[in-house]
Amino acid sequence: MKQYLIAGNWKMNTTPGSARSLVASLSNIQGLNENVGMLVCPPFTNLSAVSEVINNSMISLGAQNCHPEPEGAFTGEVSVAMLKEAGCKYVIIGHSERRTLFGESDEFICMKAKSIIREKLIPIVCIGETLEERQSGTTFDVLKLQLDNCLNEIDSVDFVIAYEPVWAIGTGIAAEVSQVDEAHSWIADYLESKYPGKSSEIKILYGGSMKPSNAEELLSLKHVSGGLIGGASLKPDSFIEIYNSAVRALGN
Ligand code: PGA
């Protein structure tokens, strides 16, 4: 049976108080399915508030970033050990906003991935092409370079990939189903050649304007095993509807 992960990337939204209310609305959901995981990734300052609310529920907690070093003189940064003790199971890394706004390189993202795996947390490694790259026909060269570099010398398959075409993030315009199908199939083939016989354990999430109206179709694609959802994850009804789309897609 396919296993899905429906992950909410709250970005720089919510305060501890509003984060508590948001996740409380999600905790009311009836019938979480054991084959569909629900994950929320609030800002660092709201991790403990959210952790208290989801305690003993089936909702998992994740962070949106980390520093690769375990501790030290890195003003403003947060280590994986800190996130682990705060209750996180997942850490998003390599999001396009971090790559473009904060200049993060594939090599730095790879260091983070290794630290996260070493601490037995699960990195969600984001990759994706810009509109310019798609239009110039270099999408798969870009994805290959990002995967080669971000997964360099990583033997474990305890990670998740999120394919997020940069042009679809926060724009309301998701990639077409055929584009998602093509990219996810390509990524699945890449992972199978790098991790023969083990790649089916790696989830490939789609991110970029996933919403209730397109979720079921996207989640029904063979190599889409979940979503990384920004805007729609801040609206409990929408996020729950996307979650329910994954439950329905299980039966497709
Ligand atoms: P979006 O964001 O759903 O608002 O497009 C997705 C993401 O940035 O992870």
Side-chain angles (χ1 to χ4, degrees), residues 12-231:
M12 198 172 74
N13 295 292
T14 69
T15 61
S18 63
R20 212 178 267 120
S21 323
L22 176 54
V23 78
S25 325
L26 300 175
S27 324
N28 291 336
I29 182 174
Q30 296 296 312
L32 273 178
N33 187 298
E34 60 180 16
N35 295 308
V36 185
M38 184 186 278
L39 167 68
V40 292
C41 303
F44 293 139
T45 50
N46 307 346
L47 288 171
S48 69
V50 171
S51 170
E52 279 165 25
V53 179
I54 63 176
N55 191 22
N56 293 327
S57 81
M58 280 173 66
I59 304 176
S60 302
L61 186 64
Q64 299 172 21
N65 186 27
C66 67
H67 193 277
E69 293 300 329
E71 62 193 2
F74 300 98
T75 302
E77 292 294 322
V78 172
S79 75
V80 183
M82 295 172 191
L83 297 174
K84 190 174 180 177
E85 200 165 323
C88 290
K89 188 170 168 199
Y90 294 86
V91 187
I92 299 170
I93 52 173
H95 192 281
S96 75
E97 287 151 17
R98 295 224 54 94
R99 290 174 186 266
T100 54
L101 301 174
F102 302 97
E104 294 195 5
S105 65
D106 284 339
E107 291 67 27
F108 191 48
I109 294 160
C110 185
M111 287 165 67
K112 296 183 190 207
K114 286 177 180 153
S115 307
I116 296 165
I117 292 171
R118 209 175 299 124
E119 287 284 352
K120 307 227 174 318
L121 266 58
I122 303 171
I124 299 178
V125 183
C126 302
I127 57 170
E129 80 288 357
T130 62
L131 186 59
E132 203 175 42
E133 289 161 344
R134 177 158 282 272
Q135 287 172 342
S136 65
T138 56
T139 295
F140 297 109
D141 301 328
V142 170
L143 298 184
K144 180 173 184 327
L145 198 62
Q146 290 175 338
L147 288 167
D148 283 348
N149 293 337
C150 293
L151 301 177
N152 185 29
E153 294 178 358
I154 293 182
D155 299 325
S156 148
V157 291
D158 295 330
F159 61 84
V160 171
I161 296 291
Y163 169 61
E164 300 208 305
V166 178
W167 47 275
I169 296 176
T171 58
I173 304 164
E176 310 242 335
V177 174
S178 59
Q179 293 171 321
V180 177
D181 193 29
E182 185 186 32
H184 279 242
S185 302
W186 185 92
I187 294 166
D189 286 348
Y190 174 98
L191 293 172
E192 180 55 27
S193 67
K194 188 169 166 80
Y195 303 101
K198 293 196 287 183
S199 69
S200 61
E201 293 169 39
I202 307 168
K203 289 191 178 64
I204 311 173
L205 314 184
Y206 169 76
S209 299
M210 188 181 266
K211 48 197 166 192
S213 58
N214 60 20
E216 189 167 345
E217 198 175 13
L218 293 169
L219 292 166
S220 300
L221 295 171
K222 182 169 177 212
H223 294 294
V224 175
S225 32
L228 182 56
I229 300 130

